[in-house]
Amino acid sequence: IVVTGSDDHLWKMWALPDGNILMTGEGHTDWLSGCCFRPSGTQLVTSSGDTTVRIWDLSRRGCILTLQGHARAVHDCSWQSQGDFVASASMDSTSKIWDVNSERCRYTLRGHKDSVNSIEFLPFSSTVLTSSADKTLSLWDSRTVSRLF
């Protein structure tokens, strides 16, 4: 199974190798930039040009949570290994750590001087890696919001 997002504001889940569409998600109002499965495989997080991050419940076949707080398009999203937190990277030069259980932004990571283009939780860790159009990479401790590198 693979999930894709595109300019048509939709994400699609595909079966491999036959290429059949298993599920489609609609709700974003602009292009999709990122999709990431929850480690348990029960949910999906998506990021979009509409400045939002959405969490989708795959068994319900719909969006269960819209996270708002970025000022510009969101380029990427990532799920923490334990599944309690989602990270997002935005053109507004910030990244955010979202607490899925409380449904709110826990931390805003500031330090890049240009668009943050990608974000990833390191496996089984609270460390987040970001890359930016300012030509830098940063490692962050998501528990303390301190920049490690």
mmCIF file of all heavy atoms in Angstrom, residues 42-93:
data_model
loop_
_atom_site.group_PDB
_atom_site.id
_atom_site.type_symbol
_atom_site.label_atom_id
_atom_site.label_comp_id
_atom_site.label_asym_id
_atom_site.label_seq_id
_atom_site.Cartn_x
_atom_site.Cartn_y
_atom_site.Cartn_z
ATOM 1 N N THR A 42 -3.301 2.908 11.499
ATOM 2 C CA THR A 42 -4.740 3.180 11.579
ATOM 3 C C THR A 42 -5.120 4.581 11.125
ATOM 4 O O THR A 42 -6.298 4.846 10.879
ATOM 5 C CB THR A 42 -5.246 2.995 13.020
ATOM 6 O OG1 THR A 42 -4.519 3.894 13.875
ATOM 7 C CG2 THR A 42 -5.052 1.558 13.491
ATOM 8 N N GLN A 43 -4.145 5.471 11.072
ATOM 9 C CA GLN A 43 -4.417 6.861 10.711
ATOM 10 C C GLN A 43 -3.354 7.370 9.748
ATOM 11 O O GLN A 43 -2.300 6.764 9.573
ATOM 12 C CB GLN A 43 -4.466 7.746 11.963
ATOM 13 C CG GLN A 43 -5.632 7.402 12.875
ATOM 14 C CD GLN A 43 -5.636 8.229 14.139
ATOM 15 O OE1 GLN A 43 -4.600 8.693 14.606
ATOM 16 N NE2 GLN A 43 -6.817 8.398 14.719
ATOM 17 N N LEU A 44 -3.659 8.520 9.159
ATOM 18 C CA LEU A 44 -2.779 9.166 8.200
ATOM 19 C C LEU A 44 -2.728 10.646 8.562
ATOM 20 O O LEU A 44 -3.731 11.214 8.994
ATOM 21 C CB LEU A 44 -3.380 8.995 6.795
ATOM 22 C CG LEU A 44 -2.634 9.573 5.623
ATOM 23 C CD1 LEU A 44 -1.412 8.703 5.298
ATOM 24 C CD2 LEU A 44 -3.549 9.639 4.397
ATOM 25 N N VAL A 45 -1.558 11.278 8.399
ATOM 26 C CA VAL A 45 -1.458 12.726 8.538
ATOM 27 C C VAL A 45 -1.086 13.286 7.173
ATOM 28 O O VAL A 45 -0.310 12.678 6.440
ATOM 29 C CB VAL A 45 -0.437 13.140 9.631
ATOM 30 C CG1 VAL A 45 0.964 12.694 9.301
ATOM 31 C CG2 VAL A 45 -0.471 14.646 9.868
ATOM 32 N N THR A 46 -1.696 14.422 6.815
ATOM 33 C CA THR A 46 -1.401 15.082 5.549
ATOM 34 C C THR A 46 -1.091 16.554 5.793
ATOM 35 O O THR A 46 -1.584 17.156 6.742
ATOM 36 C CB THR A 46 -2.577 14.972 4.547
ATOM 37 O OG1 THR A 46 -3.755 15.536 5.146
ATOM 38 C CG2 THR A 46 -2.831 13.529 4.142
ATOM 39 N N SER A 47 -0.273 17.121 4.909
ATOM 40 C CA SER A 47 0.046 18.552 4.968
ATOM 41 C C SER A 47 -0.315 19.166 3.624
ATOM 42 O O SER A 47 -0.325 18.484 2.605
ATOM 43 C CB SER A 47 1.533 18.747 5.283
ATOM 44 O OG SER A 47 2.353 18.021 4.392
ATOM 45 N N SER A 48 -0.606 20.492 3.654
ATOM 46 C CA SER A 48 -1.168 21.104 2.451
ATOM 47 C C SER A 48 -0.794 22.568 2.300
ATOM 48 O O SER A 48 -0.444 23.251 3.271
ATOM 49 C CB SER A 48 -2.696 20.965 2.516
ATOM 50 O OG SER A 48 -3.329 21.691 1.496
ATOM 51 N N GLY A 49 -0.944 23.030 1.074
ATOM 52 C CA GLY A 49 -0.792 24.439 0.761
ATOM 53 C C GLY A 49 -1.865 25.305 1.399
ATOM 54 O O GLY A 49 -1.747 26.527 1.419
ATOM 55 N N ASP A 50 -2.916 24.686 1.940
ATOM 56 C CA ASP A 50 -3.986 25.453 2.592
ATOM 57 C C ASP A 50 -3.640 25.845 4.031
ATOM 58 O O ASP A 50 -4.489 26.336 4.751
ATOM 59 C CB ASP A 50 -5.318 24.703 2.526
ATOM 60 C CG ASP A 50 -5.360 23.414 3.336
ATOM 61 O OD1 ASP A 50 -4.429 23.145 4.125
ATOM 62 O OD2 ASP A 50 -6.337 22.653 3.169
ATOM 63 N N THR A 51 -2.388 25.648 4.448
ATOM 64 C CA THR A 51 -1.814 25.978 5.764
ATOM 65 C C THR A 51 -2.225 25.016 6.874
ATOM 66 O O THR A 51 -1.896 25.243 8.036
ATOM 67 C CB THR A 51 -2.107 27.437 6.238
ATOM 68 O OG1 THR A 51 -3.452 27.550 6.664
ATOM 69 C CG2 THR A 51 -1.770 28.454 5.155
ATOM 70 N N THR A 52 -2.905 23.936 6.552
ATOM 71 C CA THR A 52 -3.363 23.012 7.589
ATOM 72 C C THR A 52 -2.649 21.670 7.528
ATOM 73 O O THR A 52 -2.063 21.296 6.521
ATOM 74 C CB THR A 52 -4.884 22.745 7.508
ATOM 75 O OG1 THR A 52 -5.162 21.990 6.326
ATOM 76 C CG2 THR A 52 -5.683 24.030 7.530
ATOM 77 N N VAL A 53 -2.761 20.976 8.644
ATOM 78 C CA VAL A 53 -2.344 19.589 8.783
ATOM 79 C C VAL A 53 -3.615 18.850 9.194
ATOM 80 O O VAL A 53 -4.346 19.305 10.071
ATOM 81 C CB VAL A 53 -1.251 19.446 9.873
ATOM 82 C CG1 VAL A 53 -0.910 18.000 10.121
ATOM 83 C CG2 VAL A 53 -0.025 20.257 9.493
ATOM 84 N N ARG A 54 -3.883 17.721 8.527
ATOM 85 C CA ARG A 54 -5.103 16.967 8.839
ATOM 86 C C ARG A 54 -4.757 15.541 9.228
ATOM 87 O O ARG A 54 -3.844 14.944 8.663
ATOM 88 C CB ARG A 54 -6.055 16.955 7.650
ATOM 89 C CG ARG A 54 -6.676 18.317 7.375
ATOM 90 C CD ARG A 54 -7.633 18.246 6.189
ATOM 91 N NE ARG A 54 -8.186 19.546 5.913
ATOM 92 C CZ ARG A 54 -9.466 19.887 6.131
ATOM 93 N NH1 ARG A 54 -10.305 19.006 6.603
ATOM 94 N NH2 ARG A 54 -9.882 21.103 5.860
ATOM 95 N N ILE A 55 -5.536 15.042 10.166
ATOM 96 C CA ILE A 55 -5.401 13.640 10.570
ATOM 97 C C ILE A 55 -6.650 12.911 10.126
ATOM 98 O O ILE A 55 -7.776 13.370 10.350
ATOM 99 C CB ILE A 55 -5.163 13.522 12.080
ATOM 100 C CG1 ILE A 55 -3.831 14.213 12.403
ATOM 101 C CG2 ILE A 55 -5.183 12.059 12.510
ATOM 102 C CD1 ILE A 55 -3.418 14.204 13.828
ATOM 103 N N TRP A 56 -6.425 11.777 9.483
ATOM 104 C CA TRP A 56 -7.489 10.976 8.882
ATOM 105 C C TRP A 56 -7.561 9.626 9.576
ATOM 106 O O TRP A 56 -6.538 8.982 9.788
ATOM 107 C CB TRP A 56 -7.196 10.761 7.397
ATOM 108 C CG TRP A 56 -6.928 12.029 6.659
ATOM 109 C CD1 TRP A 56 -5.747 12.709 6.596
ATOM 110 C CD2 TRP A 56 -7.860 12.783 5.880
ATOM 111 N NE1 TRP A 56 -5.887 13.843 5.828
ATOM 112 C CE2 TRP A 56 -7.169 13.910 5.368
ATOM 113 C CE3 TRP A 56 -9.203 12.599 5.551
ATOM 114 C CZ2 TRP A 56 -7.781 14.856 4.555
ATOM 115 C CZ3 TRP A 56 -9.809 13.532 4.741
ATOM 116 C CH2 TRP A 56 -9.113 14.648 4.258
ATOM 117 N N ASP A 57 -8.767 9.208 9.919
ATOM 118 C CA ASP A 57 -8.977 7.867 10.461
ATOM 119 C C ASP A 57 -9.334 6.967 9.288
ATOM 120 O O ASP A 57 -10.356 7.179 8.619
ATOM 121 C CB ASP A 57 -10.103 7.890 11.498
ATOM 122 C CG ASP A 57 -10.240 6.565 12.201
ATOM 123 O OD1 ASP A 57 -10.558 5.563 11.522
ATOM 124 O OD2 ASP A 57 -10.042 6.520 13.425
ATOM 125 N N LEU A 58 -8.503 5.973 9.026
ATOM 126 C CA LEU A 58 -8.693 5.148 7.845
ATOM 127 C C LEU A 58 -9.907 4.229 7.958
ATOM 128 O O LEU A 58 -10.565 3.948 6.960
ATOM 129 C CB LEU A 58 -7.416 4.351 7.556
ATOM 130 C CG LEU A 58 -6.186 5.232 7.296
ATOM 131 C CD1 LEU A 58 -4.944 4.385 7.108
ATOM 132 C CD2 LEU A 58 -6.409 6.162 6.112
ATOM 133 N N SER A 59 -10.244 3.796 9.175
ATOM 134 C CA SER A 59 -11.427 2.937 9.312
ATOM 135 C C SER A 59 -12.720 3.731 9.130
ATOM 136 O O SER A 59 -13.706 3.216 8.620
ATOM 137 C CB SER A 59 -11.433 2.214 10.662
ATOM 138 O OG SER A 59 -11.540 3.145 11.715
ATOM 139 N N ARG A 60 -12.701 4.991 9.521
ATOM 140 C CA ARG A 60 -13.873 5.865 9.338
ATOM 141 C C ARG A 60 -13.900 6.501 7.950
ATOM 142 O O ARG A 60 -14.880 7.144 7.584
ATOM 143 C CB ARG A 60 -13.884 6.977 10.372
ATOM 144 C CG ARG A 60 -14.099 6.506 11.772
ATOM 145 C CD ARG A 60 -14.230 7.706 12.678
ATOM 146 N NE ARG A 60 -14.018 7.341 14.061
ATOM 147 C CZ ARG A 60 -13.891 8.207 15.030
ATOM 148 N NH1 ARG A 60 -13.935 9.503 14.771
ATOM 149 N NH2 ARG A 60 -13.699 7.809 16.256
ATOM 150 N N ARG A 61 -12.778 6.409 7.245
ATOM 151 C CA ARG A 61 -12.644 6.972 5.905
ATOM 152 C C ARG A 61 -12.880 8.483 5.871
ATOM 153 O O ARG A 61 -13.527 9.009 4.965
ATOM 154 C CB ARG A 61 -13.569 6.272 4.916
ATOM 155 C CG ARG A 61 -13.237 4.824 4.734
ATOM 156 C CD ARG A 61 -14.154 4.149 3.737
ATOM 157 N NE ARG A 61 -13.660 2.839 3.403
ATOM 158 C CZ ARG A 61 -13.013 2.544 2.281
ATOM 159 N NH1 ARG A 61 -12.786 3.456 1.379
ATOM 160 N NH2 ARG A 61 -12.579 1.326 2.057
ATOM 161 N N GLY A 62 -12.368 9.182 6.899
ATOM 162 C CA GLY A 62 -12.560 10.626 6.915
ATOM 163 C C GLY A 62 -11.601 11.349 7.834
ATOM 164 O O GLY A 62 -10.899 10.745 8.645
ATOM 165 N N CYS A 63 -11.600 12.671 7.690
ATOM 166 C CA CYS A 63 -10.771 13.542 8.514
ATOM 167 C C CYS A 63 -11.377 13.633 9.907
ATOM 168 O O CYS A 63 -12.570 13.886 10.057
ATOM 169 C CB CYS A 63 -10.694 14.939 7.875
ATOM 170 S SG CYS A 63 -9.733 16.117 8.841
ATOM 171 N N ILE A 64 -10.541 13.418 10.932
ATOM 172 C CA ILE A 64 -11.023 13.504 12.306
ATOM 173 C C ILE A 64 -10.463 14.720 13.040
ATOM 174 O O ILE A 64 -10.936 15.057 14.118
ATOM 175 C CB ILE A 64 -10.724 12.225 13.097
ATOM 176 C CG1 ILE A 64 -9.227 11.926 13.111
ATOM 177 C CG2 ILE A 64 -11.520 11.052 12.542
ATOM 178 C CD1 ILE A 64 -8.812 10.838 14.085
ATOM 179 N N LEU A 65 -9.442 15.374 12.442
ATOM 180 C CA LEU A 65 -8.832 16.519 13.116
ATOM 181 C C LEU A 65 -8.115 17.398 12.102
ATOM 182 O O LEU A 65 -7.377 16.899 11.262
ATOM 183 C CB LEU A 65 -7.827 16.018 14.167
ATOM 184 C CG LEU A 65 -7.073 17.049 14.993
ATOM 185 C CD1 LEU A 65 -8.016 17.927 15.800
ATOM 186 C CD2 LEU A 65 -6.078 16.348 15.913
ATOM 187 N N THR A 66 -8.372 18.704 12.175
ATOM 188 C CA THR A 66 -7.655 19.686 11.364
ATOM 189 C C THR A 66 -6.836 20.560 12.306
ATOM 190 O O THR A 66 -7.396 21.177 13.216
ATOM 191 C CB THR A 66 -8.626 20.552 10.534
ATOM 192 O OG1 THR A 66 -9.390 19.700 9.681
ATOM 193 C CG2 THR A 66 -7.879 21.562 9.686
ATOM 194 N N LEU A 67 -5.529 20.576 12.100
ATOM 195 C CA LEU A 67 -4.616 21.357 12.932
ATOM 196 C C LEU A 67 -4.264 22.643 12.194
ATOM 197 O O LEU A 67 -3.761 22.608 11.074
ATOM 198 C CB LEU A 67 -3.357 20.543 13.221
ATOM 199 C CG LEU A 67 -3.609 19.215 13.945
ATOM 200 C CD1 LEU A 67 -2.362 18.352 13.938
ATOM 201 C CD2 LEU A 67 -4.103 19.463 15.356
ATOM 202 N N GLN A 68 -4.566 23.773 12.825
ATOM 203 C CA GLN A 68 -4.341 25.083 12.216
ATOM 204 C C GLN A 68 -3.392 25.889 13.075
ATOM 205 O O GLN A 68 -3.469 25.840 14.294
ATOM 206 C CB GLN A 68 -5.663 25.834 12.065
ATOM 207 C CG GLN A 68 -6.645 25.117 11.182
ATOM 208 C CD GLN A 68 -7.978 25.834 11.081
ATOM 209 O OE1 GLN A 68 -8.365 26.579 11.964
ATOM 210 N NE2 GLN A 68 -8.677 25.603 9.988
ATOM 211 N N GLY A 69 -2.507 26.667 12.428
ATOM 212 C CA GLY A 69 -1.583 27.504 13.176
ATOM 213 C C GLY A 69 -0.434 28.024 12.338
ATOM 214 O O GLY A 69 0.236 28.967 12.746
ATOM 215 N N HIS A 70 -0.189 27.402 11.191
ATOM 216 C CA HIS A 70 0.852 27.918 10.305
ATOM 217 C C HIS A 70 0.297 29.105 9.515
ATOM 218 O O HIS A 70 -0.880 29.135 9.161
ATOM 219 C CB HIS A 70 1.321 26.834 9.334
ATOM 220 C CG HIS A 70 2.266 25.858 9.956
ATOM 221 N ND1 HIS A 70 3.535 26.201 10.379
ATOM 222 C CD2 HIS A 70 2.136 24.533 10.224
ATOM 223 C CE1 HIS A 70 4.137 25.135 10.874
ATOM 224 N NE2 HIS A 70 3.305 24.102 10.791
ATOM 225 N N ALA A 71 1.172 30.073 9.222
ATOM 226 C CA ALA A 71 0.763 31.273 8.493
ATOM 227 C C ALA A 71 0.857 31.101 6.979
ATOM 228 O O ALA A 71 0.262 31.867 6.233
ATOM 229 C CB ALA A 71 1.628 32.458 8.927
ATOM 230 N N ARG A 72 1.617 30.093 6.538
ATOM 231 C CA ARG A 72 1.790 29.848 5.099
ATOM 232 C C ARG A 72 1.678 28.345 4.833
ATOM 233 O O ARG A 72 1.490 27.560 5.755
ATOM 234 C CB ARG A 72 3.137 30.402 4.625
ATOM 235 C CG ARG A 72 3.186 31.938 4.785
ATOM 236 C CD ARG A 72 4.394 32.576 4.183
ATOM 237 N NE ARG A 72 4.461 32.349 2.744
ATOM 238 C CZ ARG A 72 5.573 32.468 2.040
ATOM 239 N NH1 ARG A 72 6.704 32.807 2.630
ATOM 240 N NH2 ARG A 72 5.567 32.256 0.740
ATOM 241 N N ALA A 73 1.833 27.971 3.592
ATOM 242 C CA ALA A 73 1.693 26.575 3.180
ATOM 243 C C ALA A 73 2.562 25.642 4.035
ATOM 244 O O ALA A 73 3.652 26.008 4.454
ATOM 245 C CB ALA A 73 2.077 26.429 1.712
ATOM 246 N N VAL A 74 2.048 24.440 4.263
ATOM 247 C CA VAL A 74 2.784 23.416 5.014
ATOM 248 C C VAL A 74 3.388 22.443 4.005
ATOM 249 O O VAL A 74 2.669 21.844 3.213
ATOM 250 C CB VAL A 74 1.864 22.685 6.017
ATOM 251 C CG1 VAL A 74 2.659 21.687 6.826
ATOM 252 C CG2 VAL A 74 1.154 23.685 6.932
ATOM 253 N N HIS A 75 4.717 22.317 4.049
ATOM 254 C CA HIS A 75 5.434 21.507 3.066
ATOM 255 C C HIS A 75 5.538 20.030 3.400
ATOM 256 O O HIS A 75 5.682 19.193 2.514
ATOM 257 C CB HIS A 75 6.861 22.028 2.882
ATOM 258 C CG HIS A 75 6.983 23.120 1.887
ATOM 259 N ND1 HIS A 75 6.689 22.970 0.566
ATOM 260 C CD2 HIS A 75 7.385 24.403 2.037
ATOM 261 C CE1 HIS A 75 6.910 24.103 -0.069
ATOM 262 N NE2 HIS A 75 7.320 24.998 0.805
ATOM 263 N N ASP A 76 5.531 19.674 4.694
ATOM 264 C CA ASP A 76 5.792 18.288 5.047
ATOM 265 C C ASP A 76 5.223 17.984 6.425
ATOM 266 O O ASP A 76 4.932 18.894 7.211
ATOM 267 C CB ASP A 76 7.319 18.035 5.043
ATOM 268 C CG ASP A 76 7.693 16.572 5.002
ATOM 269 O OD1 ASP A 76 6.852 15.731 4.632
ATOM 270 O OD2 ASP A 76 8.856 16.255 5.337
ATOM 271 N N CYS A 77 5.058 16.689 6.679
ATOM 272 C CA CYS A 77 4.568 16.232 7.973
ATOM 273 C C CYS A 77 5.195 14.884 8.298
ATOM 274 O O CYS A 77 5.612 14.154 7.400
ATOM 275 C CB CYS A 77 3.047 16.145 7.985
ATOM 276 S SG CYS A 77 2.346 15.129 6.666
ATOM 277 N N SER A 78 5.250 14.578 9.591
ATOM 278 C CA SER A 78 5.858 13.334 10.039
ATOM 279 C C SER A 78 5.192 12.899 11.333
ATOM 280 O O SER A 78 4.787 13.742 12.135
ATOM 281 C CB SER A 78 7.356 13.557 10.274
ATOM 282 O OG SER A 78 7.973 12.419 10.826
ATOM 283 N N TRP A 79 5.101 11.588 11.531
ATOM 284 C CA TRP A 79 4.507 11.050 12.744
ATOM 285 C C TRP A 79 5.607 10.484 13.631
ATOM 286 O O TRP A 79 6.496 9.781 13.158
ATOM 287 C CB TRP A 79 3.510 9.943 12.395
ATOM 288 C CG TRP A 79 2.323 9.950 13.294
ATOM 289 C CD1 TRP A 79 2.325 9.824 14.651
ATOM 290 C CD2 TRP A 79 0.958 10.112 12.925
ATOM 291 N NE1 TRP A 79 1.050 9.899 15.147
ATOM 292 C CE2 TRP A 79 0.194 10.068 14.113
ATOM 293 C CE3 TRP A 79 0.314 10.280 11.708
ATOM 294 C CZ2 TRP A 79 -1.184 10.178 14.118
ATOM 295 C CZ3 TRP A 79 -1.063 10.391 11.725
ATOM 296 C CH2 TRP A 79 -1.809 10.349 12.903
ATOM 297 N N GLN A 80 5.545 10.774 14.926
ATOM 298 C CA GLN A 80 6.482 10.239 15.898
ATOM 299 C C GLN A 80 6.248 8.729 16.049
ATOM 300 O O GLN A 80 5.116 8.256 15.922
ATOM 301 C CB GLN A 80 6.285 10.969 17.227
ATOM 302 C CG GLN A 80 7.177 10.479 18.336
ATOM 303 C CD GLN A 80 6.511 10.578 19.678
ATOM 304 O OE1 GLN A 80 5.292 10.487 19.789
ATOM 305 N NE2 GLN A 80 7.309 10.746 20.705
ATOM 306 N N SER A 81 7.311 7.968 16.337
ATOM 307 C CA SER A 81 7.221 6.501 16.415
ATOM 308 C C SER A 81 6.143 5.994 17.362
ATOM 309 O O SER A 81 5.509 4.984 17.093
ATOM 310 C CB SER A 81 8.534 5.867 16.867
ATOM 311 O OG SER A 81 9.642 6.535 16.462
ATOM 312 N N GLN A 82 5.932 6.670 18.487
ATOM 313 C CA GLN A 82 4.920 6.208 19.433
ATOM 314 C C GLN A 82 3.514 6.646 19.038
ATOM 315 O O GLN A 82 2.541 6.175 19.596
ATOM 316 C CB GLN A 82 5.251 6.693 20.844
ATOM 317 C CG GLN A 82 6.471 5.974 21.385
ATOM 318 C CD GLN A 82 7.429 6.918 22.067
ATOM 319 O OE1 GLN A 82 7.617 8.053 21.617
ATOM 320 N NE2 GLN A 82 8.052 6.465 23.127
ATOM 321 N N GLY A 83 3.409 7.564 18.094
ATOM 322 C CA GLY A 83 2.109 7.958 17.571
ATOM 323 C C GLY A 83 1.383 9.050 18.324
ATOM 324 O O GLY A 83 0.238 9.357 18.008
ATOM 325 N N ASP A 84 2.036 9.664 19.315
ATOM 326 C CA ASP A 84 1.372 10.710 20.101
ATOM 327 C C ASP A 84 1.572 12.112 19.542
ATOM 328 O O ASP A 84 0.836 13.030 19.890
ATOM 329 C CB ASP A 84 1.879 10.697 21.544
ATOM 330 C CG ASP A 84 1.501 9.421 22.271
ATOM 331 O OD1 ASP A 84 0.401 8.894 22.012
ATOM 332 O OD2 ASP A 84 2.313 8.956 23.086
ATOM 333 N N PHE A 85 2.579 12.284 18.688
ATOM 334 C CA PHE A 85 2.908 13.607 18.167
ATOM 335 C C PHE A 85 3.076 13.577 16.654
ATOM 336 O O PHE A 85 3.501 12.578 16.084
ATOM 337 C CB PHE A 85 4.206 14.136 18.797
ATOM 338 C CG PHE A 85 4.098 14.334 20.273
ATOM 339 C CD1 PHE A 85 4.529 13.349 21.149
ATOM 340 C CD2 PHE A 85 3.545 15.492 20.790
ATOM 341 C CE1 PHE A 85 4.412 13.516 22.520
ATOM 342 C CE2 PHE A 85 3.426 15.671 22.161
ATOM 343 C CZ PHE A 85 3.860 14.678 23.031
ATOM 344 N N VAL A 86 2.731 14.717 16.043
ATOM 345 C CA VAL A 86 2.918 14.937 14.617
ATOM 346 C C VAL A 86 3.769 16.189 14.485
ATOM 347 O O VAL A 86 3.609 17.141 15.268
ATOM 348 C CB VAL A 86 1.550 15.121 13.912
ATOM 349 C CG1 VAL A 86 1.698 15.728 12.547
ATOM 350 C CG2 VAL A 86 0.800 13.802 13.850
ATOM 351 N N ALA A 87 4.665 16.200 13.510
ATOM 352 C CA ALA A 87 5.482 17.386 13.241
ATOM 353 C C ALA A 87 5.124 17.923 11.864
ATOM 354 O O ALA A 87 4.792 17.156 10.956
ATOM 355 C CB ALA A 87 6.961 17.021 13.301
ATOM 356 N N SER A 88 5.191 19.247 11.709
ATOM 357 C CA SER A 88 4.910 19.873 10.412
ATOM 358 C C SER A 88 5.964 20.926 10.106
ATOM 359 O O SER A 88 6.513 21.551 11.009
ATOM 360 C CB SER A 88 3.511 20.505 10.409
ATOM 361 O OG SER A 88 3.388 21.483 11.428
ATOM 362 N N ALA A 89 6.240 21.107 8.800
ATOM 363 C CA ALA A 89 7.239 22.067 8.323
ATOM 364 C C ALA A 89 6.558 23.012 7.348
ATOM 365 O O ALA A 89 5.849 22.570 6.446
ATOM 366 C CB ALA A 89 8.375 21.323 7.620
ATOM 367 N N SER A 90 6.798 24.316 7.503
ATOM 368 C CA SER A 90 6.030 25.298 6.747
ATOM 369 C C SER A 90 6.888 26.339 6.031
ATOM 370 O O SER A 90 8.024 26.616 6.421
ATOM 371 C CB SER A 90 5.073 26.024 7.690
ATOM 372 O OG SER A 90 4.415 27.088 7.064
ATOM 373 N N MET A 91 6.272 26.950 5.021
ATOM 374 C CA MET A 91 6.881 28.071 4.318
ATOM 375 C C MET A 91 6.994 29.304 5.206
ATOM 376 O O MET A 91 7.677 30.261 4.853
ATOM 377 C CB MET A 91 6.059 28.432 3.070
ATOM 378 C CG MET A 91 6.215 27.433 1.942
ATOM 379 S SD MET A 91 5.256 27.902 0.488
ATOM 380 C CE MET A 91 6.115 29.385 -0.027
ATOM 381 N N ASP A 92 6.330 29.309 6.363
ATOM 382 C CA ASP A 92 6.410 30.455 7.273
ATOM 383 C C ASP A 92 7.704 30.448 8.111
ATOM 384 O O ASP A 92 7.819 31.205 9.067
ATOM 385 C CB ASP A 92 5.166 30.544 8.162
ATOM 386 C CG ASP A 92 5.016 29.388 9.145
ATOM 387 O OD1 ASP A 92 5.957 28.577 9.305
ATOM 388 O OD2 ASP A 92 3.932 29.273 9.755
ATOM 389 N N SER A 93 8.658 29.563 7.760
ATOM 390 C CA SER A 93 9.967 29.432 8.415
ATOM 391 C C SER A 93 9.905 28.763 9.775
ATOM 392 O O SER A 93 10.882 28.794 10.528
ATOM 393 C CB SER A 93 10.683 30.792 8.556
ATOM 394 O OG SER A 93 10.826 31.393 7.293
#
